[in-house]
Coordinates of all heavy atoms in Angstrom, one line a residue:
G448 N -39.6 54.8 37.5 CA -38.9 55.5 36.5 C -39.0 57.0 36.5 O -38.4 57.8 35.7
F449 N -39.8 57.5 37.5 CA -39.9 59.0 37.7 C -39.5 59.4 39.1 O -40.1 58.8 40.0 CB -41.3 59.5 37.4 CG -41.7 59.3 35.9 CD1 -42.3 58.1 35.5 CD2 -41.4 60.3 35.0 CE1 -42.7 58.0 34.1 CE2 -41.8 60.2 33.7 CZ -42.4 59.0 33.2
T450 N -38.6 60.3 39.3 CA -38.3 60.7 40.6 C -38.7 62.2 40.8 O -38.6 63.0 39.9 CB -36.8 60.6 40.9 OG1 -36.1 61.3 39.8 CG2 -36.3 59.2 41.0
E451 N -39.2 62.5 42.0 CA -39.7 63.9 42.3 C -38.5 64.8 42.4 O -37.6 64.5 43.2 CB -40.5 63.9 43.6 CG -41.2 65.2 43.9 CD -41.9 65.2 45.3 OE1 -42.8 64.4 45.4 OE2 -41.4 65.9 46.1
Q452 N -38.4 65.8 41.5 CA -37.3 66.7 41.4 C -37.5 67.9 42.4 O -36.8 68.1 43.3 CB -37.2 67.2 40.0 CG -35.9 67.9 39.7 CD -34.7 67.0 39.5 OE1 -34.9 65.8 39.4 NE2 -33.5 67.5 39.4
T453 N -38.6 68.6 42.2 CA -39.0 69.7 43.0 C -40.5 69.7 43.3 O -41.3 69.2 42.5 CB -38.6 71.1 42.4 OG1 -39.3 71.2 41.2 CG2 -37.1 71.2 42.3
L454 N -40.8 70.2 44.4 CA -42.2 70.3 44.8 C -42.4 71.7 45.4 O -41.6 72.2 46.2 CB -42.6 69.3 45.9 CG -43.6 69.6 47.0 CD1 -45.0 69.8 46.4 CD2 -43.6 68.5 48.0
S455 N -43.3 72.5 44.9 CA -43.5 73.9 45.4 C -44.9 74.2 45.5 O -45.8 73.7 44.8 CB -42.8 74.9 44.5 OG -43.4 74.9 43.2
W456 N -45.2 75.1 46.5 CA -46.5 75.7 46.7 C -46.4 77.2 46.5 O -45.5 77.8 47.1 CB -47.0 75.4 48.1 CG -47.7 74.1 48.2 CD1 -47.1 72.9 48.6 CD2 -49.1 73.8 47.9 NE1 -48.1 71.9 48.6 CE2 -49.3 72.4 48.2 CE3 -50.2 74.5 47.5 CZ2 -50.5 71.8 48.1 CZ3 -51.4 73.9 47.4 CH2 -51.6 72.6 47.6
S457 N -47.3 77.8 45.7 CA -47.2 79.2 45.6 C -48.7 79.8 45.8 O -49.6 79.0 45.8 CB -46.8 79.6 44.2 OG -47.6 79.0 43.2
V458 N -48.7 81.0 46.1 CA -50.0 81.7 46.4 C -50.2 82.9 45.5 O -49.2 83.6 45.3 CB -50.2 82.0 47.9 CG1 -49.2 83.0 48.4 CG2 -51.6 82.6 48.2
E459 N -51.4 83.1 45.0 CA -51.7 84.2 44.1 C -52.7 85.1 44.9 O -53.8 84.6 45.2 CB -52.2 83.8 42.8 CG -52.4 85.0 41.8 CD -53.5 84.8 40.8 OE1 -53.8 83.7 40.5 OE2 -54.1 85.8 40.4
R460 N -52.3 86.3 45.1 CA -53.2 87.3 45.8 C -53.0 88.6 45.1 O -51.9 89.0 44.9 CB -52.9 87.4 47.3 CG -53.5 86.3 48.2 CD -53.4 86.7 49.6 NE -54.2 87.8 50.0 CZ -53.8 89.0 50.5 NH1 -52.5 89.2 50.7 NH2 -54.6 89.9 50.8
D461 N -54.1 89.3 44.8 CA -54.0 90.6 44.2 C -53.1 90.6 43.0 O -52.3 91.5 42.9 CB -53.6 91.7 45.3 CG -54.3 91.6 46.6 OD1 -55.5 91.3 46.5 OD2 -53.7 91.7 47.6
F462 N -53.3 89.6 42.2 CA -52.5 89.5 40.9 C -51.0 89.4 41.0 O -50.3 89.5 40.1 CB -52.8 90.7 40.0 CG -54.3 91.0 39.8 CD1 -55.0 92.0 40.4 CD2 -55.0 90.1 39.0 CE1 -56.3 92.2 40.3 CE2 -56.4 90.3 38.9 CZ -57.1 91.3 39.5
T463 N -50.5 89.1 42.2 CA -49.1 88.8 42.4 C -49.0 87.3 42.9 O -49.8 86.9 43.8 CB -48.4 89.7 43.3 OG1 -49.0 89.7 44.6 CG2 -48.4 91.1 42.8
T464 N -48.0 86.6 42.4 CA -47.8 85.2 42.8 C -46.5 85.1 43.5 O -45.5 85.6 43.1 CB -47.8 84.3 41.6 OG1 -49.0 84.4 40.9 CG2 -47.6 82.8 42.0
S465 N -46.5 84.5 44.7 CA -45.3 84.3 45.5 C -45.2 82.8 45.9 O -46.2 82.2 46.2 CB -45.3 85.1 46.8 OG -46.0 86.3 46.6
T466 N -43.9 82.3 45.9 CA -43.7 80.9 46.3 C -43.6 80.9 47.8 O -42.9 81.7 48.4 CB -42.4 80.4 45.7 OG1 -42.5 80.5 44.3 CG2 -42.2 78.9 46.1
I467 N -44.4 80.0 48.4 CA -44.4 79.8 49.9 C -43.4 78.8 50.3 O -42.6 79.0 51.2 CB -45.8 79.3 50.4 CG1 -46.9 80.2 49.9 CG2 -45.8 79.1 51.9 CD1 -48.3 79.6 50.2
F468 N -43.5 77.6 49.6 CA -42.8 76.4 50.1 C -42.1 75.8 48.9 O -42.7 75.7 47.8 CB -43.8 75.5 50.7 CG -43.1 74.2 51.2 CD1 -42.7 74.0 52.5 CD2 -43.0 73.1 50.3 CE1 -42.2 72.8 52.9 CE2 -42.5 71.9 50.7 CZ -42.0 71.7 52.0
R469 N -40.8 75.3 49.1 CA -40.2 74.6 48.0 C -39.4 73.5 48.6 O -38.6 73.6 49.6 CB -39.2 75.6 47.3 CG -38.5 74.9 46.1 CD -37.5 76.0 45.5 NE -36.5 75.3 44.7 CZ -36.6 75.1 43.4 NH1 -37.7 75.5 42.8 NH2 -35.7 74.6 42.7
R470 N -39.5 72.3 48.0 CA -38.7 71.1 48.5 C -37.9 70.6 47.3 O -38.5 70.4 46.2 CB -39.7 70.0 48.9 CG -38.9 68.7 49.3 CD -39.9 67.6 49.8 NE -40.4 68.0 51.1 CZ -41.4 67.3 51.7 NH1 -42.0 66.4 51.1 NH2 -41.7 67.7 53.0
D471 N -36.6 70.6 47.5 CA -35.7 70.1 46.4 C -34.6 69.3 47.1 O -34.7 68.9 48.2 CB -35.2 71.2 45.5 CG -34.5 72.3 46.4 OD1 -33.9 72.0 47.4 OD2 -34.5 73.5 46.0
D472 N -33.5 69.0 46.3 CA -32.4 68.2 46.8 C -31.8 68.7 48.1 O -31.3 68.0 48.9 CB -31.3 68.0 45.8 CG -31.8 67.3 44.5 OD1 -32.8 66.7 44.6 OD2 -31.2 67.5 43.5
S473 N -31.9 70.1 48.3 CA -31.3 70.7 49.4 C -32.2 70.7 50.7 O -31.8 71.3 51.7 CB -30.8 72.1 49.1 OG -31.9 72.9 48.8
G474 N -33.4 70.2 50.5 CA -34.3 70.2 51.7 C -35.6 71.0 51.5 O -36.0 71.3 50.4
D475 N -36.2 71.3 52.6 CA -37.5 72.1 52.6 C -37.2 73.6 52.9 O -36.4 73.9 53.8 CB -38.4 71.6 53.7 CG -39.0 70.2 53.4 OD1 -38.6 69.7 52.3 OD2 -39.9 69.7 54.1
H476 N -37.8 74.4 52.1 CA -37.5 75.9 52.3 C -38.9 76.6 52.4 O -39.7 76.4 51.5 CB -36.7 76.4 51.2 CG -35.5 75.6 50.9 ND1 -34.3 75.8 51.7 CD2 -35.2 74.7 50.0 CE1 -33.4 74.9 51.2 NE2 -33.9 74.2 50.2
I477 N -39.1 77.4 53.4 CA -40.3 78.3 53.5 C -39.8 79.7 53.1 O -39.0 80.3 53.8 CB -40.9 78.2 54.9 CG1 -41.5 76.8 55.1 CG2 -42.0 79.2 55.0 CD1 -41.9 76.5 56.5
L478 N -40.3 80.1 52.0 CA -39.7 81.4 51.3 C -40.5 82.6 51.7 O -40.0 83.7 51.5 CB -39.8 81.2 49.8 CG -39.0 79.9 49.3 CD1 -39.2 79.8 47.8 CD2 -37.6 80.0 49.6
L479 N -41.7 82.5 52.3 CA -42.4 83.7 52.7 C -42.4 83.8 54.2 O -42.9 82.8 54.9 CB -43.8 83.7 52.2 CG -44.1 84.2 50.8 CD1 -45.6 84.2 50.5 CD2 -43.5 85.5 50.5
S480 N -41.8 84.8 54.8 CA -41.7 84.9 56.2 C -43.0 84.8 57.0 O -43.1 84.3 58.1 CB -40.9 86.1 56.7 OG -41.6 87.3 56.2
K481 N -44.1 85.3 56.4 CA -45.4 85.3 57.1 C -46.0 83.9 57.2 O -46.9 83.7 58.0 CB -46.4 86.2 56.4 CG -47.0 85.8 55.1 CD -48.1 86.8 54.7 CE -48.9 86.2 53.5 NZ -50.3 86.2 53.7
F482 N -45.4 82.9 56.5 CA -45.8 81.5 56.6 C -44.9 80.7 57.5 O -45.1 79.5 57.7 CB -46.0 80.9 55.3 CG -47.2 81.4 54.5 CD1 -47.1 82.3 53.5 CD2 -48.5 80.9 54.9 CE1 -48.2 82.7 52.8 CE2 -49.6 81.3 54.2 CZ -49.5 82.2 53.1
R483 N -43.8 81.3 57.9 CA -42.8 80.5 58.7 C -43.4 80.0 60.0 O -44.2 80.7 60.6 CB -41.6 81.4 59.0 CG -40.3 80.6 59.1 CD -39.1 81.4 58.7 NE -38.9 81.4 57.2 CZ -38.3 82.4 56.6 NH1 -37.8 83.4 57.2 NH2 -38.1 82.3 55.3
D484 N -43.1 78.7 60.3 CA -43.7 78.1 61.5 C -45.2 77.8 61.4 O -45.8 77.4 62.3 CB -43.4 78.9 62.8 CG -42.0 79.2 63.0 OD1 -41.2 78.3 62.7 OD2 -41.6 80.3 63.5
R485 N -45.8 78.1 60.2 CA -47.2 77.9 60.0 C -47.5 76.9 58.9 O -48.7 76.4 58.8 CB -48.0 79.2 59.7 CG -47.9 80.2 60.9 CD -49.0 81.2 60.8 NE -48.9 82.0 59.6 CZ -50.0 82.1 58.7 NH1 -51.1 81.5 58.9 NH2 -49.8 82.9 57.6
V486 N -46.6 76.6 58.0 CA -46.9 75.7 56.9 C -45.9 74.5 57.0 O -44.8 74.6 57.4 CB -46.8 76.3 55.5 CG1 -47.8 77.4 55.4 CG2 -45.4 76.9 55.3
S487 N -46.5 73.3 56.5 CA -45.6 72.1 56.4 C -46.2 71.2 55.3 O -47.4 71.2 55.0 CB -45.5 71.4 57.7 OG -46.8 71.1 58.2
V488 N -45.4 70.3 54.8 CA -45.7 69.3 53.8 C -45.2 68.0 54.4 O -44.1 68.0 54.9 CB -45.1 69.6 52.4 CG1 -45.3 68.5 51.5 CG2 -45.6 70.9 51.8
P489 N -46.1 66.9 54.3 CA -45.6 65.7 54.9 C -44.3 65.2 54.4 O -44.0 65.3 53.2 CB -46.7 64.7 54.5 CG -47.9 65.5 54.2 CD -47.4 66.8 53.7
K490 N -43.5 64.7 55.3 CA -42.2 64.1 55.0 C -42.3 62.6 54.9 O -43.2 62.0 55.6 CB -41.1 64.5 56.0 CG -40.5 65.8 55.9 CD -39.3 66.0 56.9 CE -38.4 67.1 56.6 NZ -39.0 68.4 57.0

């Protein structure tokens, strides 16, 4: 009865929070370039 709508990972450093990874209906998105090719979430 519950479907996963969005899944996101964010990081907080020096009082600023940025989203690294987001998974939604349109797929997986890595939003911070310094993490590109370095982060993944199991499919």
Side-chain angles (χ1 to χ4, degrees):
F449 293 92
T450 50
E451 188 183 292
Q452 190 81 5
T453 58
L454 147 66
S455 66
W456 274 95
S457 57
V458 60
E459 184 208 336
R460 276 191 71 240
D461 312 323
F462 308 105
T463 57
T464 301
S465 326
T466 303
I467 303 170
F468 177 93
R469 182 183 163 92
R470 174 177 290 167
D471 54 29
D472 297 341
S473 64
D475 287 4
H476 310 280
I477 293 169
L478 304 174
L479 277 187
S480 59
K481 72 175 191 128
F482 285 104
R483 211 148 276 156
D484 304 323
R485 295 200 297 127
V486 296
S487 57
V488 173
K490 277 187 165 78

